[in-house]
Amino acid sequence: MAKNKPLTKKEKLEREYNKQIRRIEKRKKELESLGYVTSDLKIRKKPKRVTDATIRRLKKITPSFIREHTRIVSFETGEVANPKTKAFQRIKQENAILAIENVKSVKTPKSIKLKKETGGGYQPPPMDDRIIDNFLSLMSQLPLPVYDVIKKAIYRQISLKGKGVVAEAIHFMPEQMQNALLASMKPSDGAIIEFDTYLYQYMPLTEEEKQQIYDEMEDNSWDDYI
């Protein structure tokens, strides 16, 4: 059987370019949900020849960089503020609080009364995804290393327990814990460890089911879920 031909440097750069563009667009979408006008950020058109310098420029476009180069719009009043102004910081905090309230106001899957659709049958709305996506959008304003640790913790537990349990855990998370997360500056902060432990232990299951999952966790390295 023929082996795959190794990628040329040009192909590797093209692949990395596309990867960075996808990352930037994803971050822009997350920040848009917090009120940032990400259309202010202009990214150069793809050059005819992608170089190492092209990739380095794209890697510099982090969530912090985007926030520093875009305006923000108040969810409540529609007020627009430029970066590095007092109004910008005020609106940023106000929008973050409203985003937290939005996450907490979404009903958990267990409390939703299913509505009968025309033509028969019941269809539950995709609330799990909405809860998790809203929470991740809120956390995306943190430094990238902190955000990545939070995201990995969430997806690690989703792989073990499913989206429903993780969405419920986020919904019932104490407000004090959410506020502590938003104040975190590095992955080793106590709030991050507390959050990871909270997700690990949160299981609205029977004792027998809990023990089964704990046993599975013991048999696998955390790296298996990252």
Side-chain angles (χ1 to χ4, degrees):
M1 184 175 178
K3 293 184 178 179
N4 292 331
K5 185 179 179 181
L7 295 175
T8 64
K9 182 174 182 179
K10 179 181 178 181
E11 290 171 334
K12 288 179 179 178
L13 288 172
E14 288 284 339
R15 180 174 292 186
E16 183 62 23
Y17 179 90
N18 293 332
K19 176 183 175 182
Q20 291 300 323
I21 292 296
R22 288 195 301 271
R23 176 188 63 79
I24 292 168
E25 291 303 319
K26 182 178 180 181
R27 291 288 179 262
K28 286 173 66 176
K29 186 176 180 181
E30 291 169 345
L31 290 171
E32 283 172 3
S33 69
L34 293 172
Y36 291 91
V37 186
T38 60
S39 58
D40 288 348
L41 184 70
K42 304 300 181 184
I43 300 176
R44 297 180 184 179
K45 291 183 178 180
K46 185 177 180 179
K48 292 182 179 179
R49 179 170 170 267
V50 177
T51 64
D52 290 323
T54 307
I55 303 302
R56 284 196 298 271
R57 284 193 294 268
L58 291 177
K59 285 184 175 180
K60 290 180 180 178
I61 304 177
T62 62
S64 296
F65 181 91
I66 297 173
R67 288 194 296 271
E68 290 170 1
H69 293 81
T70 58
R71 295 168 295 165
I72 193 169
V73 180
S74 169
F75 289 152
E76 280 193 312
T77 66
E79 177 186 358
V80 180
N82 291 319
K84 300 179 182 178
T85 62
K86 290 183 179 179
F88 183 94
Q89 293 301 322
R90 171 176 53 78
I91 294 172
K92 173 184 172 181
Q93 294 175 356
E94 292 171 351
N95 284 1
I97 292 171
L98 289 172
I100 290 175
E101 292 175 350
N102 186 37
V103 170
K104 295 182 75 65
S105 67
V106 176
K107 295 182 179 181
T108 61
K110 286 186 177 180
S111 64
I112 297 171
K113 292 183 179 179
L114 305 182
K115 295 182 178 180
K116 192 171 183 180
E117 292 186 326
T118 304
Y122 292 88
Q123 181 65 41
M127 301 305 291
D128 297 348
D129 288 334
R130 181 178 171 188
I131 291 171
I132 293 169
D133 289 346
N134 283 349
F135 182 76
L136 287 175
S137 293
L138 175 62
M139 294 297 132
S140 69
Q141 65 182 288
L142 295 170
L144 185 58
V146 176
Y147 173 75
D148 282 344
V149 169
I150 291 173
K151 185 168 67 172
K152 286 177 180 178
I154 288 174
Y155 283 105
R156 181 166 57 240
Q157 295 306 320
I158 287 175
S159 70
L160 288 167
K161 306 172 187 176
K163 281 186 178 180
V165 174
V166 174
E168 185 174 314
I170 290 172
H171 175 77
F172 286 115
M173 183 190 310
E175 185 173 351
Q176 184 178 358
M177 183 180 291
Q178 291 196 54
N179 292 337
L181 280 176
L182 288 170
S184 299
M185 297 304 296
K186 54 184 184 295
S188 59
D189 283 353
I192 304 298
I193 298 171
E194 182 183 1
F195 173 71
D196 204 354
T197 302
Y198 169 77
L199 287 185
Y200 177 88
Q201 294 178 341
Y202 188 92
M203 285 183 285
L205 309 170
T206 65
E207 290 302 318
E208 183 178 347
E209 290 171 327
K210 288 182 181 181
Q211 189 58 52
Q212 183 178 352
I213 292 179
Y214 278 132
D215 291 342
E216 183 180 345
M217 289 176 176
E218 292 297 327
D219 292 339
N220 294 280
S221 165
W222 276 22
D223 292 337
D224 295 335
Y225 306 109
I226 296 177

